[in-house]
Amino acid sequence: MPAPALDSHTHLDIAVGGEDRLPTDAEVDAEVAAAAAVGIPRLVQVGVDVASSRWSAALAARHPSVLAAVALHPNEAGAGAATPEALAEIDRLAAQPRVRAVGETGLDRFRTGSEGWAAQEESFRAHIGIAKRHGIALVIHDRDAHAEVLRVLDDEGLPEHTVFHCFSGDAAFARQCLDRGAVLSFAGTLTFGNAGYLREAAAIAPVDQLLVETDSPFLTPVPHRGRPNASRLVPHTVRALAEVTGTDLEQLCTTLTATAERVFGPWQY
Ligand SMILES: [Zn+2]
Ligand SMILES: [Zn+2]
């Protein structure tokens, strides 16, 4: 990269350790160093349940390249995980100085059946409240629920900084999110051959309302599709975003970093 860029959404616990074990500190540090070596010195590590949110907060507390987001994922909430005790723990973690977002939260009507939608929405509303109370960003997971996510956001009122992680809508939906001041974070899906609608969405966004992410280990960008994703592969998505938006690559990297520090605050201080 001609200037430092970032990964606004990664799950290092899963990407490095796998589904069955947590990685060691040394393994995580090596992965973060590999990202820094290709021009990605800033990462946001995202929790999806109480355990991974605690892990994310602890990593951010000890590593200058990492900030944390904490939440109960909508699919966890849909399965009944958003108990008062669990939400209270997310609220406690959100007070830590290097926890800079509440997420990923939102609605997922792809993986969660209709029996879980009420619990999901209740949890989403609670997470919006936690983000506002702590004055930190909200990171939204929206899968097959665009209109419903906007309905809940409009009802609760958006926090000052709201990010649509792995933005998955078309240009018309992007317009609705941008008009509300939200930031759209694009994942490797932007590079997929069948994702013309995503490139159209990115193209209408002001450059300072854009972010990039891996969602690693998921959503690997072309040309590495089919292999596990990692923060060190986010440059593929940054280059695709520069092309789609007609922005000079160095200028885009600088703007992405500035946007990330506006939304999440500074990594080092
Ligand atoms: Zn997600
Ligand atoms: Zn994620």
Side-chain angles (χ1 to χ4, degrees):
M1 295 279 94
L6 74 144
D7 183 354
S8 82
H9 189 114
T10 179
H11 303 279
L12 284 164
D13 46 341
I14 309 170
V16 181
E19 297 282 353
D20 300 325
R21 69 174 185 99
L22 283 173
T24 64
D25 286 357
E27 288 172 321
V28 172
D29 291 358
E31 190 67 32
V32 175
V38 298
I40 310 297
R42 291 175 179 81
L43 313 180
V44 180
Q45 160 65 28
V46 180
V48 297
D49 55 18
V50 166
S52 63
S53 292
R54 283 185 183 137
W55 187 88
S56 301
L59 172 59
R62 76 166 181 82
H63 204 304
S65 294
V66 182
L67 296 178
V70 296
L72 312 168
H73 190 284
N75 290 323
E76 301 282 329
T83 61
E85 296 74 26
L87 287 165
E89 178 63 6
I90 297 301
D91 190 33
R92 269 193 295 277
L93 291 169
Q96 293 190 17
R98 289 181 66 81
V99 173
R100 302 285 182 76
V102 173
E104 52 189 294
T105 181
L107 303 174
D108 187 320
R109 297 205 159 171
F110 179 77
R111 294 259 311 274
T112 294
S114 55
E115 72 287 348
W117 292 356
Q120 214 172 57
E121 181 171 328
E122 198 181 328
S123 171
F124 183 25
R125 288 179 186 273
H127 282 83
I128 294 170
I130 294 170
K132 285 184 180 172
R133 193 152 61 246
H134 294 279
I136 57 178
L138 181 72
V139 171
I140 292 180
H141 169 105
D142 158 28
R143 191 151 182 203
D144 292 357
H146 302 330
E148 294 300 292
V149 165
L150 288 184
R151 175 178 60 77
V152 174
L153 279 175
D154 287 343
D155 195 34
E156 296 287 335
L158 279 74
E160 184 181 357
H161 298 294
T162 299
V163 178
F164 279 79
H165 122 75
C166 188
F167 184 78
S168 59
D170 60 8
F173 181 59
R175 173 51 57 209
Q176 296 190 65
C177 299
L178 294 165
D179 286 350
R180 288 167 171 81
V183 169
L184 315 183
S185 183
F186 285 89
T189 42
L190 185 73
T191 66
F192 292 2
N194 61 359
Y197 67 102
L198 285 182
R199 290 184 281 276
E200 288 168 21
I204 67 153
V207 181
D208 66 358
Q209 281 179 270
L210 291 170
L211 282 174
V212 283
E213 64 172 77
T214 56
D215 201 19
S216 61
F218 314 107
L219 304 174
T220 310
V222 172
H224 300 279
R225 221 179 150 177
R227 282 185 270 164
N229 203 357
S231 294
R232 67 191 129 77
L233 299 180
V234 82
H236 294 288
T237 306
V238 178
R239 280 188 215 102
L241 196 60
E243 204 168 299
V244 165
T245 59
T247 311
D248 169 73
L249 184 58
E250 182 173 359
Q251 180 61 46
L252 178 63
C253 292
T254 304
T255 306
L256 290 170
T257 297
T259 300
E261 297 219 310
R262 184 180 83 233
V263 168
F264 300 112
W267 265 252
Q268 289 166 41
Y269 54 92

